[in-house]
Amino acid sequence: MRFILIFIFLTSFGFSQTDTLPYVQVLGIAQDGGYPHFGCEKECCKMAWKDTSQRKFVVALAIVDPKAKKWWLMEATPDIKEQVEYFKKLSGGKYNYLPDGIFITHAHIGHYAGLINLGREVMNTNNIPVYVMPKMKEFLEKNGPWSQLVTLNNIKLVELKEDLPIKLSEQITVTSMIVPHRDEFSETVGFRIATNVKSYLFIPDIDKWEKWKRSLIKEVQKVDIAFLDATFNNINELKNRKMSEVPHPFVEETMNLFKNETDQTKSKIHFIHFNHTNALMWDKAARTEVENKKFKVSKQGGVY
Ligand SMILES: [Zn+2]
Ligand SMILES: [Zn+2]
Ligand SMILES: [Zn+2]
């Protein structure tokens, strides 16, 4: 009886074993330009200009280890200020305000430009570890304003090696894998995040799956949840720009690639990194259509 009472007492205060398990929380789902998009007066962005609650941040994940009381941010987006505050709110202020480390996939502005907020003009942080691949590291070291973050020790660059897992805590490791993308300033990677409960794949940007040296199907089968590039839904989406200038796997192509796989495999795929023109971000009917085919659409604020 006494044990039962203690159990009821503890659970009623929210203590349970699940409170110590690591998790991933989505802090943004939009492509680099965010949502609504700069200068867009079309249907896609109209409602988000009018109703600020419809706005979406640029793609980012929080990787959280409640046991170690630490969290890591995947991508330093132009929305970093809002996203760090958002995570504080979602987690009830249980963690350090600033992340215990930041992982960056590549040097396109939606994925690293938020680093400027760590410098002298804003947060003036002290040696926040920033995990990057060799070319990305060199790019940050050799070009202003990023180089100043390095010389003033606002950030501490930690070099990643493809396929070499980095241990963040007892419960979490992160491994990088190179993906083909328009690599003007840096290489581009995706990450595999492994916790003692679940494993995740995070590939927000890639040119086309068939250009990748790995098999997407195999990589998805290896994990529980795969956050995948869903910039565009199909080839007709960009009216006034050449699609070939900004290649991405269309959502339709990715779904087609998995058409012979089981529903269980399909349901591991959570689409993310939506261009403002992609209806999956703002239209319920479009989302339902994808979900009826057993795929999922990432939710901002969602816990995975
Ligand atoms: Zn991007
Ligand atoms: Zn738009
Ligand atoms: Zn990119």
Side-chain angles (χ1 to χ4, degrees), residues 17-137:
Q17 215 213 327
T18 54
D19 287 344
T20 62
L21 298 179
Y23 64 93
V24 164
Q25 189 150 32
V26 171
L27 301 182
I29 60 170
Q31 175 268 2
D32 302 42
Y35 178 72
H37 197 272
F38 198 0
C40 183
E41 293 176 343
K42 286 179 287 191
E43 263 334 288
C44 45
C45 294
K46 231 181 219 168
M47 56 195 147
W49 286 123
K50 222 159 72 186
D51 175 5
T52 53
S53 71
Q54 302 285 318
R55 295 183 179 191
K56 299 287 182 281
F57 300 135
V58 177
V59 169
L61 306 178
I63 300 161
V64 191
D65 187 340
K67 204 168 159 196
K69 284 208 156 48
K70 287 185 173 178
W71 75 288
W72 296 266
L73 182 62
M74 219 154 244
E75 310 289 36
T77 86
D79 295 323
I80 192 170
K81 162 170 95 171
E82 308 288 344
Q83 287 169 314
V84 167
E85 191 69 23
Y86 183 49
F87 177 71
K88 180 188 158 199
K89 207 174 100 192
L90 293 170
S91 61
K94 273 189 280 188
Y95 299 91
N96 290 329
Y97 184 70
L98 290 168
D100 294 279
I102 300 174
F103 284 80
I104 290 172
T105 56
H106 66 301
H108 281 163
I109 64 117
H111 304 262
Y112 80 103
L115 289 175
I116 43 172
N117 293 289
L118 304 181
R120 192 174 254 173
E121 301 91 328
V122 189
M123 288 299 275
N124 197 26
T125 58
N126 182 21
N127 278 317
I128 292 197
V130 174
Y131 298 88
V132 285
M133 293 295 281
K135 276 190 206 151
M136 181 78 209
K137 181 166 178 272

